[in-house]
Amino acid sequence: MLIREATTEDWPAIWPFFHEIVAAGETLTYPTDLGKEAAQGWWFVAAPNRVVVAVDEAGVVLGTAKMNRNHMGNGSHVASATYMVDPAHSGKGAGRALCAYSVEWARTSGFRSMQFNAVVETNTRAVKLYESLGFEVIGTLPEGFNHPAEGYVGLHIMHKAL
């Protein structure tokens, strides 16, 4: 698996699974009706932030990550990231690879820590992955997320010192 800088030419491969994940409304706080053009603008953040894709040996996009400052000003030393893995390629290690890559990006970019602001507590696979990479839940916003099947569930704030 290769992780490389994403380009606008990758968007046609990203959009179908981006749309599927966001429209399902189970794991991200994005509007479920987010359109293709607006979504691309949300995902492709400007430098010094970064967007990457994980691709297999055939060049198929398995997943993507958006890495950015979590805060501005005096909080700009904290990084964040968002990940999406194509459900058709789940279980191949793309999520772990993207998360590990983003931690290294944050470390080498001079950030002091990483914080995930809104990890849906019912997204147990993601929580377990992040914890295996050294993140910890430092707080939970009770009923912060209206899950389409589970109802109101918590949003974890997760942190990792770099």
Side-chain angles (χ1 to χ4, degrees), residues 84-159:
M84 291 195 197
V85 174
D86 185 340
H89 299 289
S90 179
K92 296 181 180 178
R96 176 172 294 281
L98 287 164
C99 189
Y101 183 95
S102 69
V103 168
E104 188 56 30
W105 168 82
R107 184 177 286 118
T108 60
S109 296
F111 290 97
R112 294 180 50 86
S113 64
M114 286 188 78
Q115 176 181 321
F116 300 148
N117 301 322
V119 181
V120 179
E121 71 181 353
T122 55
N123 189 358
T124 56
R125 289 179 68 191
V127 172
K128 183 178 176 181
L129 168 63
Y130 303 153
E131 288 176 335
S132 75
L133 292 171
F135 286 83
E136 59 184 317
V137 175
I138 59 170
T140 302
L141 174 62
E143 297 188 349
F145 187 82
N146 188 6
H147 191 282
E150 304 291 327
Y152 290 99
V153 299
L155 281 177
H156 292 321
I157 300 166
M158 299 189 75
H159 176 265

